[in-house]
Amino acid sequence: NLHTAGQTYRQRGLDFWPGPIDSINGSIGSVTCKTWDRFFSVKRESVLSAKYGFGADSNVLNWPKIAPFVDANGNGMYDPSTGDYPIFDPMVQANVPSEMVWWVMNDVGNAHTAYVGGLPMGVEIQATAFAYSTVLSEAINNSTMYRYRIINKSSTPLYDVTVGQFMDANIGGADDDIS
């Protein structure tokens, strides 16, 4: 059975929607999709302030409980009042990007209209975009990096999976490219 989900520009249709998939029944409702239709952003200064006990701003306080965080008291639940704070990689707590943006999406929030015919995979994708600012490298200052955590939340095992990222980068406007 072929399971697919893809996205390029939205004029062709949609195969992905915002929000986490329910772990119990492998589905998500439209209300949950609307609730999660946003990006969560935090800057290095906010993370370090929370890490060293100088207070947590609204971005730290509103960081999603399913996004990566340092679990200061080891209870497995995100709670900034107990010293928890957002982090790119909990295994490498010294790695604090200048800015992180986190979001979650799924391929079961509605009917597939971009690539009709394939069955939804039942995957949840937790994405983190991050960037650094440094005096050491102009290339790093002009780069963004991405980490995707893809979780199969369906009851069907997936085999021979291929993942790719569509990108159409432009310098300036897309309508003035020179061939």
Side-chain angles (χ1 to χ4, degrees), residues 54-89:
F54 296 116
D57 67 13
S58 62
N59 293 323
V60 171
L61 294 173
N62 295 318
W63 192 251
K65 297 177 183 335
I66 62 173
F69 67 93
V70 169
D71 189 5
N73 63 3
N75 69 354
M77 297 175 8
Y78 183 68
D79 183 359
S81 69
T82 63
D84 297 347
Y85 56 90
I87 196 71
F88 170 68
D89 185 347

Side-chain angles (χ1 to χ4, degrees), residues 137-150:
S137 171
E138 194 62 26
I140 293 293
N141 291 338
N142 291 307
S143 299
T144 56
M145 285 136 296
Y146 301 85
R147 176 181 275 183
Y148 297 96
R149 182 174 181 224
I150 302 170

